[in-house]
Amino acid sequence: SRSASIATRSRRQPALVGSSITLRHAIALLVPPRCTVCAAPCTATEVVCARCEAGLRACRPTRLAVPGLDLTLAAAPYEGVARELVRGLKFDARIALARRAARAIAEALEPSLGEIPRPFDGPRSPCAVVPVPAAPSRLLRRGFDPAEAIASALAAELGLPLRPCLCRSDGPRQV
């Protein structure tokens, strides 16, 4: 019967949906995947290569003193692989790096999570992830806000609310 031949055919030829063959792997056959930081070869499931991942894991967070804030950390010094990750996200629009940056920040926060006031979830939480918005001209030029992309991924990673409550004028560059 027609339905039996369809069922038999589908057993021999796995569908892309719901099988171990993913679109990412199929594309990797045509275009070999590259590290989004250094462009070295990597697997289809990696955003960064093993060398860059090791470089990111070797970075040590630094506590920063910012008046009015209880806890401020830099996940890594702005140098080496960390700098290239930020550059790739900001200037090459490699959006997948936002999730990796968020994971680095979450890992840096891990030892300090005990210092965050409880409860830190829910709509009345005293804790939130707040992105510092890009200047309007940079947002227009890039078409996205790297800080908001990282903050969104970080909020999801930590289970905290995202509160984009800051405004920015189009002033002179900070860096």
Side-chain angles (χ1 to χ4, degrees):
S1 80
R2 179 170 158 68
S3 61
S5 67
I6 291 172
T8 306
R9 186 178 317 130
S10 67
R11 266 189 243 126
R12 281 184 269 143
Q13 298 173 346
L16 285 177
V17 178
S19 73
S20 62
I21 299 175
T22 65
L23 184 57
R24 183 179 287 190
H25 288 95
I27 292 171
L29 294 173
L30 299 172
V31 181
R34 298 281 181 179
C35 173
T36 51
V37 175
C38 72
C42 61
T43 70
T45 59
E46 295 175 320
V47 175
V48 297
C49 67
R51 185 181 65 79
C52 288
E53 184 64 39
L56 289 171
R57 290 199 180 277
C59 293
R60 295 291 157 239
T62 305
R63 188 177 280 253
L64 306 171
V66 177
L69 298 177
D70 294 330
L71 176 65
T72 310
L73 293 172
Y78 189 60
E79 59 192 34
V81 176
R83 181 181 176 140
E84 290 306 308
L85 183 143
V86 171
R87 193 197 60 70
L89 174 61
K90 285 176 72 171
F91 303 113
D92 297 336
R94 297 179 191 151
I95 304 298
L97 290 174
R99 284 189 306 279
R100 182 57 190 97
R103 190 164 22 107
I105 295 167
E107 290 166 357
L109 273 173
E110 190 86 31
S112 301
L113 286 178
E115 298 175 38
I116 295 176
R118 304 287 186 208
F120 64 83
D121 57 354
R124 300 183 61 85
S125 169
C127 296
V129 177
V130 179
V132 175
S137 61
R138 285 168 194 74
L139 180 60
L140 187 62
R141 185 174 57 241
R142 289 184 186 125
F144 76 104
D145 183 348
E148 189 167 342
I150 293 170
S152 178
L154 180 62
E157 181 92 18
L158 296 175
L160 291 172
L162 176 67
R163 295 205 179 115
C165 56
L166 300 178
C167 295
R168 179 94 175 242
S169 62
D170 199 13
R173 290 180 55 108
Q174 292 178 308
V175 183

